C-alpha cells in the first residue's frame, strides 16, 4: 500500500470511478450516479470523498462521502481486486470519516444493499452496526 496516493476525489476522477463501480459486485448505480449528478455531489461536499491512485496512475479505490450538515453518508466504497485485503478500504473509510469529524458531523451511515454480503461483512468487521430497525423509502423526482 506504500505505492498508493490518497487524495480528494475530483471531477476528473468520475469516469475511472464509474468504471470501477460498474466492475464491482454489490455496487448499485442509479440516475444519481450520472457524471453531472456526481459533479454536483462533489461540489456540495468538497474534500469529503477520496480516491486512491496506484503507482501506474490507475484508480485503486474510491469512497463517495458527503453530509447534510447533520449526518454523514458513505457511498460507493470500492477497491479494485488487485488492491483488496491490504487495508485500503479501511483507509478510505477512515479518511472520509476524519473529514466528516472536522466538519462537525457526529453520525454516519454507510449504504449497503441487503444482498451485498461482502459489503456487509466489511462494515461489520470495521465495528459498524447494522440498523435493522429502519426501513428506507425512496421516490425519484425525475
Amino acid at each position: 500500500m506504500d505505492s498508493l496516493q490518497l487524495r480528494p476525489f475530483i471531477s476528473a476522477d468520475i469516469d475511472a470511478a464509474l468504471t470501477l463501480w460498474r466492475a464491482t459486485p454489490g455496487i448499485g448505480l442509479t440516475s444519481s450516479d450520472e457524471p453531472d449528478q456526481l459533479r454536483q455531489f462533489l461540489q456540495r461536499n468538497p474534500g469529503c470523498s477520496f480516491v486512491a491512485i496506484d503507482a501506474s496512475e490507475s484508480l485503486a479505490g474510491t469512497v463517495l462521502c458527503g453530509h447534510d450538515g447533520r449526518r454523514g453518508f458513505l457511498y460507493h466504497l470500492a477497491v479494485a481486486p488487485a488492491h483488496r485485503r491490504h487495508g485500503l478500504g479501511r483507509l478510505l473509510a477512515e479518511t472520509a470519516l476524519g473529514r466528516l469529524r472536522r466538519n462537525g458531523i457526529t453520525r454516519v451511515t454507510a449504504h449497503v444493499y441487503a444482498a451485498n454480503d461482502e459489503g456487509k461483512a466489511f462494515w461489520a468487521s470495521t465495528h459498524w452496526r447494522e440498523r435493522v430497525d429502519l426501513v428506507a423509502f425512496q421516490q425519484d423526482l425525475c
Side-chain angles (χ1 to χ4, degrees):
M1 211 162 61
D2 293 336
S3 63
L4 294 175
Q5 174 197 4
L6 214 62
R7 63 166 173 73
F9 190 139
I10 59 173
S11 292
D13 298 317
I14 290 173
D15 288 341
L18 284 166
T19 297
L20 174 62
W21 297 340
R22 287 182 185 118
T24 303
I27 298 282
L29 299 178
T30 68
S31 60
S32 297
D33 297 304
E34 293 295 322
D36 286 343
Q37 296 291 325
L38 291 168
R39 273 189 279 287
Q40 287 179 11
F41 183 88
L42 294 171
Q43 288 172 354
R44 285 189 188 111
N45 297 280
C48 290
S49 299
F50 293 88
V51 296
I53 306 298
D54 67 18
S56 68
E57 303 282 324
S58 295
L59 190 69
T62 65
V63 63
L64 194 61
C65 174
H67 65 87
D68 61 10
R70 182 172 169 264
R71 298 290 184 246
F73 304 92
L74 296 184
Y75 308 92
H76 301 342
L77 176 66
V79 175
H83 297 284
R84 291 183 186 157
R85 307 279 184 244
H86 299 289
L88 180 55
R90 287 175 191 257
L91 178 62
L92 285 162
E94 285 300 319
T95 302
L97 294 174
R99 187 55 54 97
L100 291 173
R101 282 185 198 95
R102 283 192 291 275
N103 285 319
I105 304 302
T106 60
R107 178 167 289 169
V108 182
T109 300
H111 293 272
V112 181
Y113 282 108
N116 183 352
D117 292 331
E118 187 174 358
K120 291 189 301 185
F122 170 81
W123 291 109
S125 76
T126 57
H127 307 291
W128 288 58
R129 70 181 184 284
E130 183 178 357
R131 294 289 307 260
V132 295
D133 57 324
L134 297 174
V135 174
F137 291 85
Q138 179 177 321
Q139 183 182 66
D140 292 334
L141 299 178
C142 49

